[in-house]
Amino acid sequence: MEIVVSIVGKIGEYLVPPFGEHVGYLISYKKNIMKVNEHYQKLLLKKEAVQQSVEGANWNQQVIAREVQTWQTNVDIRIEELRKFLEEDVNADTMCLNGWCPDLKSRYSLGKKAQKNTQAINELLQEGKEYDRVFNPAPPLEVGSTSNGRFKNFESRKTKINQVLEALRDDKMDMIAICGMGGIGKTEMAKEIAKRVKDDNLFDKVPFAMVSQVPDLKQIQAAIAECLGPKLNEESLTGRATQLHSRLVKNKKVLIILDDVWEPLDLEAIGIHHGDKDNSWKILLTSRNEETWGTAFGCASCCAELCEGAAHSVAPISPRDASDAGGTAFGCASCCAELCEGAAHSVAPIQMNTQKNFPIELLSKEEAWNFFREMVGDSCIGIPSLRLKAKMVEEECGRLPIAIAIVGSAMKDNSDENVWDAALEQLKKSIPQYIPGLNPKVYASIEFSYIHLKSKDVKSCFLLCCLFPEDYDIPIEDLVRYGVGRRLFANIDTIAEARRRVHAIVQNLKRSNLLLDSGKKEFIKMHDVVRDVAISIASRDEHGFMVRYDVGLEEWPQNDTYEGFAAISLMLGKTTKHPEGLNCSRLQLLRLSSSAFPLPPNMFDGMKELRVLSLERMSLEPLPPSIQVLKNLRMLMLEYCSDKLKNVSIIGALEKLEMLSFCGSEIEEVPKEIGNLSQLKLLDVSRCRSLERIAAGVLSRLSRLEELYSYEFDKWKSTGENGGGIDNANLAEIIPYSHQIMALEISLPSIKFLQQDLHFKNQKMKFRMRIAPRFQWLELDSTSEDELVLHGDAKDIVEKRANISPLLDKSQVLLLKNIKNSKCLLHDLDRKGFPCLKDLQVYECKDEEYLLDVRPDDTLHAAAFPLLESLKLTKLANLKEIYHSKVSKRPFSGRGALNNLRSLQLCDCGSLKHVFSMPIVSSLVQLQELHVSYCKNIEQIFSFGGGEHKKALSEMNLAKLTKIILGNLPVLIGFCKAMDPVDEHPQSTTQASLYQEIKGSGTEVTSVSHKLFSSNTISWIPNLEVLEVQKSHSLQVLFNLEGQKVKEDCTLSQLTTLYLVDLSALTHVWKNIPQGFQGFQNLMTIKISDCHNLTYLFSTSVAKLLVQLQEVYISYTNLMENIIQREQEAGEEREACPIKLPSIKMISLHKCPKLKTFGSETQSRRKQKKMDPKLDSRVQGSLVVRDSPDFLGGCLESCVPHRKNYKREVVSDQSISKRSKGSSSVGRTKHYNHGQIPNDLAITEVTLTKQEQSVTEETDNQVKIWSFIQPNLVESLQTLEGLGITACDLLEVIFQLEGLHVEESQLVFDNLTWLSLDYLPKLLHIWKKSPPEIRGFGNLKILQVSMCGSLKYLISPSVAKLLVKLEKMKVSSCSEMDKILAKGLGGEEEEREVIVFPRVTSLSLMDLPKLECFCNEANAFEWPSLEKIRIVRCNSLKMFVPTEMKTPNLQGVYTDYQGESPLVPMVGDLNATIQHMIIKGKAGSNDEGSN
C-alpha cells in the first residue's frame, strides 16, 4: 500500500501545481516531519543564543530592543506548538482498518502541518539572525548632568543665556558661537544651555563634543553619534561621517554643541553638512578666539589619509613647479608634502561662518565679590580687619569665575591675616607665562592655588595629571602606579596604602577646584585651562616635564639637550622618527602613545635612570633589546598593544621591577622568566583575552606579590585534574604569601579549583573572584570591589565554605548562577547575615524556593542584608517567597532585613504569587525602583494573609519609590488587594439603573475588582515618577479612586511618564475621580499601545489636571473613540468647562480604527442660546410640561435650522410601513397648525415636509462627519508642535474650522511644525471650511499625506497663504486626489492673487493616479526656494498649473521614489518640463516601469 501511495503521489506532482502540492503533503509527510524536527532543534539553539545575549545585556543595564522581546515571545509560542505537534500529533496512529491501510487524511494533515511549521521556523531563524546584538545602548549621560551644579547662574549670565536661547529659536540661525577667554565659563554655560533647551523641549537631542586645541575628528563623531543612537561601527573617517550624517537626518530637533574650538573645523568630514536647507539640526560652538569663525583651507584627501581624522594646522604650500601647479595653494603641509610631493591638490575651503557670536564678559564687580565670599566663607570675611584684604585678593582674580573659584577654595575659612597678606603679595608678583586665550590673572590664580597645596605629594600628584591629553578621563589607578614608581609618597609600605593616599589627594584637589569629576567611576578630569597652567608649571627646570600630546606628532620634539627632563609624555604619529643618540640622564618617567610608531632597538640606551615606563597602544613586536638597560625601572605598563607580544621573557632581567601590567594587550603567555622579578608587587594581566598560559612556578617565585589581576584568565591547573595543561600555574602557588595579598582578581572554571588550604583571611584584601565556566560568564562592572560569582552544585560550594566564608562576609557584590540542589543557598552558606553586601544577583537557580528562610530563633537572618541596595532575581522557577519567615507575625519591627534596599528586579520567577509579604514590608522605606516581569503567577505586589496588619498597612509609605515597571504579568489584579475599599453595590433597582445611566462618566462610583491602584494604595507612592505596565491581561483599571478622600496635598504629583502596553482587559486608565480631586499635575508623557478595550484616554475632569502634559502616543487601540471623554454627573451634563492642555506639544495616533474625535463629540463651546423656561422640562421636573404645545413647537424650532413657517405633521405609529407617492410624509399624516397638539403623545412621532426633511438630512450628515479637532478644541491645543495620525479609519476631517470664532490677534495652531497623515481611508478634508479671517499655521514646516483614498485635494488657497514656513510637502498613494490645491466645498470666493510658497524646498507627488495638476485655477505661483521636486506614477498629470510659475532654484524633476537619479532636466518652466515628461512617458512611471 505504501508503494501504491508513493506512485500515486509521484503522478500527482506532475498534475496541476495545486494538486501536486497537496499530494506532496501526503507522500512526503515523513520527510517533512524529519525536516521540522531538524529546524526545531536549530530554533532551540538560536533561542538559547539570543537569550544569553539578552542576559548579558541585562546585566550591563542595556535596553533590550522591543522587537527582540516580540521575537522571543513568538519563538516561545512556536516552540510550545511544535512540542505538542512532535509529541502528540506525530506519535498518533496513522493507520486505519486495524493497521491494514494508511490513514491518508491523517498523513496529509501531518505533512501539511510539518511543512508550514518548517516555513514558520525558517522565518523566525531568519529574523533571529538580526539579533546578534539584541540591545539598544542605555541612554547616554545627559549634557549638563556632569557639571554637578558647577554652573553659577549670575545675573549677567542669565541675560546672555536668554539671548542665546532666543537665537536658537530663530529659524534663520543654524550656527552660533559663545566666545570668551579661557576660564570665563563658556563650557559650563554651554552645558546649562543644553539643559535648558531640553527642559523647554526646544531640541530633542543635544550631543556635546569636546574639540580642544588638537581635535580628534573620530572622537568628535563618537560623542555626537552616541547621543543619537548606537556607536558608529565604521572604521574610516568618511564611512563614519556618512553614518553620522544619516543619523542626524533621521533625528528631529538636534542641537550639536562643539566645545573649545580653536580653529575652523571641516564639519563635512565629521558628517555635519552645514548649510543644507534640509538640515534639522543647529550648531552651538564655544571658543576662546572670535577669529576662529572664518574660512580656512585644507587638502581633504591628503589629511584624511594621513592624519586619520586629526585636524592639522593649515599652512600655505608652494608647489615645486609653480608654473605647473598654478601658484600657492593651502593645505596641511605635513600631509601634502608626503602625498602630493608639492603638487597643488584641489583645495576646499573649510567654512565655519557663524551667524551670531555672543562674547562672554567678565563678572560684574558685585557678582565677583559675592561669588568670592561664597567660596571663602563668611566666617572670615565677616572679620572687619580681613574684609579689605579679602576684597583686594578678590580683585586680583580679575572677575573671572575660574580664578575666583580656585583662589577662594585655597583661602576657604582662613582667618590668618598673614596668610591673606602673603596671598595678595604672591598674586601681584606672579609672572604668568603667555598662553593663547588665557587671561594672566587666571594663570596667577591657578599658580597661587598650586603653591598653597599643603604637601609635596599633593603637588606632585596634581602635576602628574597634566601628562594626559586634554579633556581626558584620567584613571586614578594610573596616578597610583606612577606615584609609587617615582616614590612620590612618603611612609608608604604597600600599593594599597598608596591607593588610599591618592584617593584622598584627588578629593583634596577637587575641593580646590583644580580637578573635576568625570562621568566615569574611578576617573577624574582636568579643566583645559588648569591643564595649560599645570603644563607651564611642570615644564620649569625644577620639575622638568615635557608634554606634547598633539595628535600624531610628526617628529620627536627638537631640543638642544634632553638631559634636563625628568618626565616626558608624547603622542607619536606614523612618521615620527626617533632621534639618534638620545641622552636623557635625568629622565624618570616616559609615557608614549602611538598606533604605529615602532620603537628602535636602541630606544632606551640613554635612559638608565628611568623609573616609570608606560607604552600604550604601541607596536611592540619585538620589544627593543635596550629595555634590559633599565635596571632602575620600578613600573612597566605595556597596555592595549594590539600586536602579539609573543616574547616578553626579556622583561625578566628588570630586577627592581615592582609593577608590571599587560592590561588589554595581545599577550599569549606569561613566561617563566617573569618569576625572576623577586621585587614584583603587582602583576596585571586583566583584559588579556588571548592569554593561554601562566607558566607553572612563576607565581610561587613572586614572594612579594601584593596584587594579582587576572580576571579573564581561567586556565589554572587543578590538583588531580588536567585543568589547563601540565605547564600552567596552580592557584596553590600563592598559598605561602596569601596573607599579604591586598588585591586579587581571578576566575576559576569550578569551585573544585579552589585549593583546600587557600584561605583568604586578610581582612584588608580587595577581591573580584569568579567561579564559573567561561560560557557562563556575565560582564559585570569592572570597577566594583569585593565581588564574588558562584556557579555549580550547592554541595560542592558548601564543602568549600571554610575557604569562601571570609569572602562572603566581605562581599559587596554577589552573583549566584545556575546553583543546583539547594532550596535556600544563602541560608546554607552564611553565618553573619551578609553584613557588607550591596548588590545581590541570583540567576537560573531552579531549585531555589526562598531567598531568605528565617527559621525559629534565627534572629540573624531576620535582619540580614543590612546594606543591600540592589537585588536581581531572574529565572528562579521554584521561588515561592523572597522572604519566608516563621519567626514573627508582627507587621513592623525596628530592625529588619532589606532595610536599605533601593532597587528590586524580578524576572521569570514562575511560582511567585506576590513580591512582598509581612513582615518584610516594614523594611522597604528606601526602595526607589521596582521591576517585575515575566512572572506568570504574580497576582499582586503586596500580599497579606489576614486583616491583622491592615492598620499598619494604612500607614504604609514608599516615599522614595520613583519608578515601577511591570511587564508580562498575566494574572496581576492589583498592587495590594487587601487594601482595596470594600465594594459597595447598589441597594435597589432604582439605584442600579442610576449606576447604569451614568456609566462611563467621571463621577461614576462603580466597583472594579482588578485595579492596579486603589484609593488606598495610590497614597503609598507619593513620589512615583515613572510607571510602565505591559502585557498584564487581567487589569481592568489603572487608577481607581473610588472612596478617595479629597486632600489638600496632590496625588502622584511627581509622576512624569506613563507607559501602558498590551493590557487587553484595560477599560479605564482613570476611574471614579471625585470632584475636587488634585493630582497628576506633572505628568508629561503618556504612551498607550495594544489596549484594545480602552474607549477613551481620560475624562474632562482628568484633562484639567494635566497641565504639564506634553506628549501623547496612542497605537493599536481597537475601541478607542475619543482621547478626551465628556462626563455626566448624576444623569445631567456637568457645566461645560473648556478643556485646557496648556503644554501639549506632540500627539501621535496609530491604528485606532474607531477613533472619531480628540474630544467627546457631545462637547461644544459654541455660545448657547438662552433657553425659554417653557422648553426646559427640567425646570418643573414633570412630564406634564412635555405635553404642552409650546414645548413641542419649541423643540421643532430648535431641531430644524433656519426654520420659518414649517408645518408640523404628527403621525400614528400604526401606519409607518411604507412611504406614500408624491409625499414626504410617512404613512397617514394629520396636519396641525402652530399651537395644536395631539391628545396622545405616547403614540406619535414627528415628521417633516419634504423641504424640512432635506434640511434635516443635511444637518444629520454634518453631525456624522467625524472631525479630529473640533472648533471648541482649537484653543485647548494651541501649543501643539507635531501631529501624526495613521490608520484611523473613521476620521473624515482633521481641523474642523467651520464656526470657529477667533479674535483678530489670535493665531491658530501657530506652534505646529509638522503634520503627518497616513492611511486615513475616509479622510475628506485636512482643513475644512477655514474662515477667511483666520490666521495661523505659520510655523508648519513639514506636511506629509499618504494613502488617504477619499481625499480629493490637499489644501485650499486660503490655507496655502498661511503656510509661509512650509519646507517639505509630500503626497503619495491618494487614489482619488486630482489636485493638490483647490477651493474647498464651501466655495471660497477670493481674488486670484499670487500664491507664494517662500520656503518650500522639496515637493514629492507619488502614486497619485488621478492627479491632473497641482492647481487648475489661474493663480500665479512662486516657489523661490524649491530645489527638489519628485513626480512618480502620476499617470493622469497634464500640467502643473495653468499659468507661468517661478522656480529659480529648480534643476529638474526626479522620477524615482528615492535617490538623486534619474533627473529630468528643466525644459523651460515646470509646466513645459512636465509636458516633455509626458511625451517621454516619465510622468506616470519610475525607472523600473509601472504596472
Side-chain angles (χ1 to χ4, degrees), residues 631-782:
K631 299 298 183 182
N632 293 306
L633 195 67
R634 297 193 184 103
M635 197 278 284
L636 174 61
M637 295 173 65
L638 308 175
E639 297 193 338
Y640 298 98
C641 300
S642 57
D643 290 342
K644 297 286 184 182
L645 290 172
K646 294 181 180 177
N647 185 6
V648 294
S649 57
I650 193 172
I651 295 173
L654 307 177
E655 298 174 355
K656 292 186 179 180
L657 198 65
E658 297 177 358
M659 291 167 286
L660 173 61
S661 174
F662 296 106
C663 178
S665 292
E666 296 291 321
I667 183 174
E668 296 178 345
E669 177 188 17
V670 176
K672 62 181 180 181
E673 287 81 4
I674 299 300
N676 298 333
L677 304 176
S678 57
Q679 303 298 311
L680 198 69
K681 296 181 178 180
L682 181 151
L683 176 62
D684 188 349
V685 289
S686 58
R687 299 189 181 90
C688 296
R689 303 188 186 278
S690 300
L691 184 63
E692 292 291 326
R693 178 173 176 260
I694 297 177
V698 168
L699 296 179
S700 61
R701 293 161 62 195
L702 302 178
S703 59
R704 302 191 66 179
L705 196 67
E706 298 174 6
E707 302 188 359
L708 174 62
Y709 303 92
S710 60
Y711 201 59
E712 281 71 30
F713 177 74
D714 68 341
K715 304 289 195 304
W716 301 96
K717 180 180 178 182
S718 173
T719 304
E721 291 187 29
N722 187 10
I726 56 173
D727 293 325
N728 249 322
N730 190 311
L731 204 56
E733 293 182 29
I734 69 172
I735 291 176
Y737 53 85
S738 61
H739 61 280
Q740 72 188 34
I741 295 289
M742 301 298 291
L744 182 65
E745 294 188 4
I746 59 172
S747 290
L748 302 174
S750 150
I751 193 76
K752 296 177 181 178
F753 283 71
L754 193 61
Q755 305 298 321
Q756 199 69 41
D757 297 330
L758 183 57
H759 300 281
F760 305 100
K761 295 182 179 179
N762 186 349
Q763 291 298 312
K764 295 182 179 180
M765 183 182 78
K766 299 295 181 184
F767 63 90
R768 294 181 70 211
M769 184 177 293
R770 175 168 50 194
I771 302 175
R774 183 177 287 264
F775 70 90
Q776 292 284 354
W777 287 5
L778 292 171
E779 292 293 333
L780 299 174
D781 183 4
S782 61

Side-chain angles (χ1 to χ4, degrees), residues 392-404:
M392 296 171 70
V393 169
E394 176 267 313
E395 288 173 356
E396 288 299 317
C397 296
R399 290 190 281 154
L400 286 153
I402 193 170
I404 294 171

Side-chain angles (χ1 to χ4, degrees), residues 51-66:
Q51 181 58 34
Q52 291 221 356
S53 185
V54 167
E55 291 159 6
N58 279 331
W59 297 123
N60 284 322
Q61 296 185 338
Q62 303 284 7
V63 180
I64 306 299
R66 289 191 184 277

Side-chain angles (χ1 to χ4, degrees), residues 159-168 173 175-180 186 189 193 284-287 290 293 354-361:
T159 304
K160 193 65 65 176
I161 286 175
N162 288 333
Q163 290 172 353
V164 174
L165 292 174
E166 192 60 35
L168 290 173
M173 301 277 182
M175 186 188 289
I176 61 176
I178 299 172
C179 309
K186 301 181 298 297
M189 180 179 285
I193 289 169
L284 174 64
L285 309 143
T286 76
S287 179
E290 194 167 351
W293 322 122
T354 55
Q355 289 145 312
K356 197 161 188 177
N357 298 339
F358 294 91
I360 308 301
E361 298 84 8

Side-chain angles (χ1 to χ4, degrees), residues 866 868-869 898-904 921-929 957-962:
L868 189 69
E869 296 178 0
L898 304 174
N899 60 4
N900 200 45
L901 188 66
R902 285 162 166 75
S903 173
L904 172 64
V921 67
S922 62
S923 301
L924 302 177
V925 291
Q926 299 294 331
L927 190 64
Q928 297 173 9
E929 294 190 7
N957 192 351
L958 302 172
K960 295 191 177 181
L961 187 60
T962 59

Side-chain angles (χ1 to χ4, degrees), residues 1148-1167:
S1148 175
L1149 306 171
H1150 180 74
K1151 288 265 186 180
C1152 304
K1154 294 197 175 181
L1155 186 74
K1156 298 175 181 178
T1157 64
F1158 184 84
S1160 172
E1161 74 236 44
T1162 61
Q1163 181 180 6
S1164 174
R1165 287 192 57 211
R1166 296 182 188 177
K1167 188 174 181 181

Side-chain angles (χ1 to χ4, degrees), residues 1068-1128:
H1068 294 80
V1069 180
W1070 288 270
K1071 193 174 179 66
N1072 294 329
I1073 305 296
Q1075 281 193 335
F1077 172 83
Q1078 292 296 316
F1080 301 100
Q1081 67 269 34
N1082 281 304
L1083 186 60
M1084 299 173 68
T1085 302
I1086 299 177
K1087 291 187 179 181
I1088 310 283
S1089 178
D1090 293 280
C1091 297
H1092 295 303
N1093 273 307
L1094 203 59
T1095 57
Y1096 66 92
L1097 181 56
F1098 43 72
S1099 62
T1100 50
S1101 60
V1102 173
K1104 69 182 182 182
L1105 303 174
L1106 307 181
V1107 292
Q1108 292 295 331
L1109 185 63
Q1110 296 181 10
E1111 299 174 327
V1112 174
Y1113 301 89
I1114 302 176
S1115 60
Y1116 299 98
T1117 52
N1118 290 348
L1119 297 183
M1120 182 166 286
E1121 298 182 358
N1122 311 306
I1123 309 302
I1124 303 176
Q1125 177 69 35
R1126 164 145 301 289
E1127 300 162 304
Q1128 290 182 338

